[in-house]
Amino acid sequence: MKTIPHWIDGAAVPGTGTDTEPVFNPATGQEQAHVVLGNASTVDSTVTAAAKAFETWSESSLTQRTQVMFAFRQLLLAHEEELGRIISAEHGKTVDDARGEIVRGREVVEFACGLGDILKGSYSDQVSHGIDVHNFRQPLGVVAGITPFNFPAMVPLWMHPIAIATGNTFILKPSERDPSAANFVAGLYQKAGLPDGVFNVVHGGKEAVDAILTHPGIEAVSFVGSTPIAKYVHEQATTNGKRVQALGGAKNHAVVLPDADLEFAANHITAGAYGSAGERCMALSVAVAVGDAADSLVTILERKAREINVGPGDQPGTEMGPLVTKAAQERVENAVTTAHTQGATLIVDGRGLKVDGHENGYFTGPSLLDHVTTEMEAYQQELFGPVLAVIRVDTLDQAIDLINANPYGNGTALFTASGEAARRFQRGVKVGMIGINVPVPVPMSYYSFGGWKDSLIGDSPVHGPEGIRFYTRPKVVTTRWPHTGQHTTAGFDFPTSH
Ligand code: NAD
């Protein structure tokens, strides 16, 4: 059986000892590899390599870094299908969906290719007599990223291209559920000409994470995952003096007004709810039907949910694959049972689905629940599976209040034909990313990605301008070049310009 090694200082590194964890194929339920689990000593040796690489990489020219980013971008494009299949085999999502995440991740590399422009400082001439001021930004040093299972390529790509392009060296601790994409990307960076030690991968779970959070040689930590772990990472890393960006979980609402094109809305809500088996932080898990929209909307949602083709992710025609683990499958199916017991109407029941030839896969079908209330567990918990809950309200203002009372604030969408309603909605909701007739409003790479409330702990979204700010420190230089023989008096008062 294959063992997936770390990637440190430009080479595959087997784990120390026998500490490994199995990696499963979610479509078959079979163990397909083992991944090594790093510990404090693995993290320490990786920090040593990354710190050494920082000495030269931080001195590399913008031209050199930009050339590496362009080459890396081309390699991601050339290997999209291959990487998509690697992701699908460990995550379970369809190959096309995996290619989609690679494309969205590649866009961050494209943003980083414009580094020369992005990192331009500013210059103020003659702020005082004979004095000029300019500013520029410098990298932090060794930085780390800790990422979730659901986007094994895209979420790390939100981080490392920007960290590396700005002159830092990077340690990625990917999810232990689907670790292979990280090693594949490491190989592409090497082919792109990135010096050894600039991009490293340490596999593992809590032990490796704790070693990262406490290591004095790591300047900053980027985290994406569930809210309890985001809070833990934020607290531990800030206590240890690091910069932290920590993105957490989500419960995303799609509000449908009676004036919306209901067929259009249902189509997009179905894709947003059940795409990637609901395992997206921007998945739509709640449809809020306003007024008269409810009955017709539920009728169309039911039809569309029943039409979804569930199967293995590498089979052409599959629209929705299995869940990532058996535990996830059981958790989601139990949640549907509980919702039914608590009084929700089970319109489509996805429990117990068997896919021919893949009877041991972690499949569950799309489930649609109607008449869900905010007291039910199906509403209160992030289910992270193919379950769409419909809540009925009377007005748009009630829908906004409902969204604002939810602890999460990652994404939300409004389906309407009214510009006035859209404006009221986008100004009123306490949510970071908003779609107007767009179901999964993931911002482009030149904007930044991040939610509000429990979906983002601390104050830093990822990539785009916020990513540049996060991975660099600003310097402001005040300069005077007196001409030979110039005499100026140096006053003892606090300096002011004149
Ligand atoms: P997770 O929180 O279980 O794991 C995330 C990372 O933390 C992994 O690398 C994991 O190894 C590590 N980890 C897990 N338990 C830990 C512990 N006790 N101590 C230290 N480290 C630990 O999340 P997941 O199940 O891999 O991913 C799904 C979650 O991620 C969902 O909640 C989803 O909403 C969220 N997510 C959020 C965004 C966003 O942008 N806000 C994006 C993607 C995923």
Side-chain angles (χ1 to χ4, degrees), residues 73 226 366 386 402 493:
R73 187 247 173 218
S226 59
L402 180 95
D493 297 339

Side-chain angles (χ1 to χ4, degrees), residues 145-151 154-155 158 172-178 203-210 213 223-230 232-233 246-252 278-283 324 331 382 384 408 410 433 449-451 454-456 462:
I146 301 161
T147 53
F149 81 84
N150 66 324
F151 286 109
M154 182 182 78
V155 168
W158 286 349
L172 173 61
K173 205 303 287 171
S175 170
E176 56 276 49
R177 313 259 168 275
D178 43 15
H203 292 292
K206 181 169 170 51
E207 200 179 344
V209 170
D210 285 343
L213 301 180
F223 174 88
V224 176
S226 59
T227 293
I229 312 297
Y232 172 76
V233 165
L247 275 57
K251 194 83 182 172
N252 305 311
E279 291 173 321
R280 291 180 184 145
C281 61
M282 291 290 274
V324 67
R331 177 175 46 75
E382 181 186 28
F384 224 54
Y408 296 109
N410 213 38
M433 295 170 284
F449 182 107
D454 275 0
S455 296
L456 188 149
V462 292

Side-chain angles (χ1 to χ4, degrees), residues 384-406:
F384 224 54
V387 182
L388 177 62
V390 179
I391 292 191
R392 296 166 178 241
V393 298
D394 294 328
T395 65
L396 173 60
D397 287 338
Q398 285 176 358
I400 294 173
D401 289 346
L402 180 95
I403 292 169
N404 290 347
N406 192 282

Side-chain angles (χ1 to χ4, degrees), residues 22-367:
V23 178
F24 293 91
N25 180 335
T28 62
Q30 281 179 344
E31 212 173 291
Q32 54 181 341
H34 281 90
V35 61
V36 297
L37 301 178
N39 52 28
S41 138
T42 327
V43 169
D44 191 50
S45 57
T46 313
V47 172
T48 303
K52 177 123 195 44
F54 179 74
E55 288 172 18
T56 42
W57 182 245
S58 59
E59 291 296 320
S60 62
S61 67
L62 292 187
T63 304
Q64 187 186 346
R65 290 187 230 157
T66 305
Q67 280 167 357
V68 169
M69 282 298 147
F70 267 102
F72 178 54
R73 187 247 173 218
Q74 286 309 106
L75 287 163
L76 276 174
L77 189 65
H79 293 276
E80 191 179 289
E81 167 88 23
E82 195 180 353
L83 180 53
R85 289 191 177 279
I86 289 170
I87 294 169
S88 173
E90 292 181 353
H91 176 287
K93 65 174 75 176
T94 68
V95 175
D96 282 347
D97 191 31
R99 292 181 72 158
E101 75 160 282
I102 298 164
V103 171
R104 295 308 307 264
R106 200 176 69 224
E107 288 167 3
V108 180
V109 184
E110 286 158 6
F111 174 73
C113 286
L115 178 73
D117 191 45
I118 297 162
L119 272 189
K120 274 195 304 208
S122 52
Y123 191 99
S124 299
D125 173 62
Q126 191 78 342
V127 298
S128 186
H129 286 100
I131 295 184
D132 308 324
V133 175
H134 72 279
N135 70 349
F136 61 102
R137 304 190 74 90
Q138 289 190 311
L140 305 178
V142 180
V143 299
I146 301 161
T147 53
F149 81 84
N150 66 324
F151 286 109
M154 182 182 78
V155 168
L157 278 161
W158 286 349
M159 305 169 182
H160 53 74
I162 299 197
I164 291 172
T166 50
N168 301 279
T169 54
F170 194 87
I171 301 172
L172 173 61
K173 205 303 287 171
S175 170
E176 56 276 49
R177 313 259 168 275
D178 43 15
S180 292
N183 289 36
F184 189 83
V185 165
L188 296 187
Y189 264 132
Q190 192 170 56
K191 281 195 198 122
L194 190 72
D196 293 346
V198 178
F199 178 79
N200 308 277
V201 181
V202 171
H203 292 292
K206 181 169 170 51
E207 200 179 344
V209 170
D210 285 343
I212 288 170
L213 301 180
T214 52
H215 199 292
I218 295 176
E219 298 291 329
V221 175
S222 303
F223 174 88
V224 176
S226 59
T227 293
I229 312 297
K231 286 183 173 168
Y232 172 76
V233 165
H234 187 265
E235 188 182 312
Q236 291 298 311
T238 49
T239 301
N240 284 283
K242 304 181 195 317
R243 280 190 184 190
V244 192
Q245 46 185 191
L247 275 57
K251 194 83 182 172
N252 305 311
H253 302 70
V255 177
V256 182
L257 295 188
D259 67 3
D261 176 336
L262 293 185
E263 188 74 27
F264 176 92
N267 220 1
H268 285 277
I269 291 171
T270 301
Y274 303 116
S276 198
E279 291 173 321
R280 291 180 184 145
C281 61
M282 291 290 274
L284 290 174
S285 47
V286 186
V288 186
V290 178
D292 294 349
D295 287 343
S296 311
L297 181 71
V298 170
T299 304
I300 310 172
L301 286 173
E302 175 181 359
R303 170 165 47 85
K304 292 190 183 293
R306 292 192 190 286
E307 284 168 4
I308 294 170
N309 190 2
V310 184
D314 61 357
Q315 190 170 289
T318 295
E319 292 169 307
M320 191 180 110
L323 289 169
V324 67
T325 56
K326 184 146 197 63
Q329 179 197 36
E330 287 168 2
R331 177 175 46 75
V332 169
E333 297 207 339
N334 288 341
V336 174
T337 306
T338 305
H340 192 35
T341 315
Q342 291 181 336
T345 312
L346 191 47
I347 304 284
V348 181
D349 183 359
R351 293 171 299 176
L353 178 90
K354 290 285 171 216
V355 172
D356 283 349
H358 292 76
E359 285 74 11
N360 294 323
Y362 312 139
F363 293 95
T364 187
S367 288

